[in-house]
Amino acid sequence: MPGPPCLLWLLLAVAFSGVPRAQPLAPQDFGEEEEEEAPRPPGPAVLCDYDRCRHLQVPCNELQSAGPTACLCPGLSSPALPPAPPRLGDVHVVAEDGSAEVRWCAPASPVHRYWLLLWEGGGPPQKSGPFNATVRRAELKGLKPGGAYVVCVVAANAAGESGAPGPGAGGQASEGSAGSAGAGGPALGPCGRVVVPPRPQSLVHAAVGVGAALALLSCGALVWHFCLRQRCGCPRAPPAGIGPPRSPRPAS
Ligand SMILES: *[C@@H]1O[C@H](CO)[C@@H](O)[C@H](O)[C@H]1NC(C)=O
């Protein structure tokens, strides 16, 4: 007779003993998961300290590998593709030296080296450089006073080089210049115009030359006039101040 109630009690005891065992397990599990997940996100993502127009700027992909913490180089194109064209910045002409300082900004591409191409009129361009990937400015030398040039900056990596439209495209063209400013605005592409003003010295020389030529001409005219008069006696010389009548010219 005591069998069935004993079994019931045993079952109840097992059931109740299992409940308090299960309850403390659940919070422990959550706690362990939180501790494991906490160190996984590697802090907020930071952009690399990179300015594409800064002279002697270390390339962004080198900053990424060199820094103590990882940083981002957004929009950097694949090294398997030729770089996009750099953007030419200000060109500062020093007329007295026949030189010009050219600045540019890097494209959002891996670049190994840059060089400049300089066109003067027709014919093949002069190349200057190459410059390493950190360089953002260079000096053009030997520019002629009063000369007009087109300069383009070219970027290259192992996959190829960026295009340079050259003077054929008017020096203002670039692939991404759809909304560019008018003719007076800065060029947005890799090319720009360099106009060297004539030297002030050469303007003075020109003025002196023109003056000297005019003086020589008038002296010559006077000498010729008096010699002729002396040689032939000039009895029919008209009174001074009255020249020969001018034939009227039709107004054009
Ligand atoms: C790159 O060129 C500049 C200017 O010539 C120079 O100062 C710099 O040390 C060069 N950098 C490297 C990494 O060669």
Side-chain angles (χ1 to χ4, degrees):
M1 288 298 282
C6 279
L7 268 177
L8 260 178
W9 282 115
L10 262 176
L11 280 174
L12 278 174
V14 167
F16 275 103
S17 68
V19 170
R21 245 183 250 156
Q23 273 175 348
L25 273 179
Q28 270 176 10
D29 287 348
F30 287 128
E32 280 165 15
E33 276 172 24
E34 278 171 10
E35 279 167 17
E36 277 173 17
E37 277 179 3
R40 265 183 212 162
V46 184
L47 295 182
C48 297
D49 177 24
Y50 176 79
D51 182 344
R52 41 176 82 175
C53 303
R54 188 195 286 154
H55 185 50
L56 300 180
Q57 168 70 65
V58 174
C60 199
N61 47 6
E62 286 178 28
L63 291 178
Q64 266 183 324
S65 52
T69 55
C71 61
L72 295 178
C73 297
L76 207 60
S77 69
S78 159
L81 294 174
R87 186 163 57 80
L88 193 79
D90 294 335
V91 178
H92 180 64
V93 177
V94 184
E96 294 80 39
D97 306 343
S99 69
E101 190 191 64
V102 179
R103 291 166 179 263
W104 63 89
C105 297
S109 312
V111 174
H112 288 177
R113 56 178 49 84
Y114 297 98
W115 60 81
L116 296 174
L117 296 176
L118 184 73
W119 281 267
E120 182 192 8
Q126 271 180 276
K127 185 177 167 180
S128 53
F131 309 105
N132 68 40
T134 70
V135 174
R136 297 291 184 277
R137 63 171 188 245
E139 198 181 25
L140 297 171
K141 286 179 180 169
L143 303 180
K144 292 172 196 156
Y149 303 84
V150 171
V151 63
C152 295
V153 55
V154 179
N157 63 18
E161 61 189 64
S162 68
Q172 298 279 335
S174 80
E175 281 121 44
S177 67
S180 75
L188 293 179
C191 300
R193 294 186 178 284
V194 181
V195 178
V196 185
R199 275 185 201 160
Q201 226 181 350
S202 61
L203 278 181
V204 170
H205 285 170
V208 167
V210 167
L214 281 176
L216 269 177
L217 266 178
S218 39
C219 279
L222 279 175
V223 166
W224 178 73
H225 180 72
F226 284 115
C227 280
L228 267 191
R229 248 171 65 165
Q230 277 176 4
R231 211 186 281 167
C232 62
C234 288
R236 307 178 304 255
I242 299 175
R246 285 183 183 176
S247 59
R249 285 183 186 173
S252 59

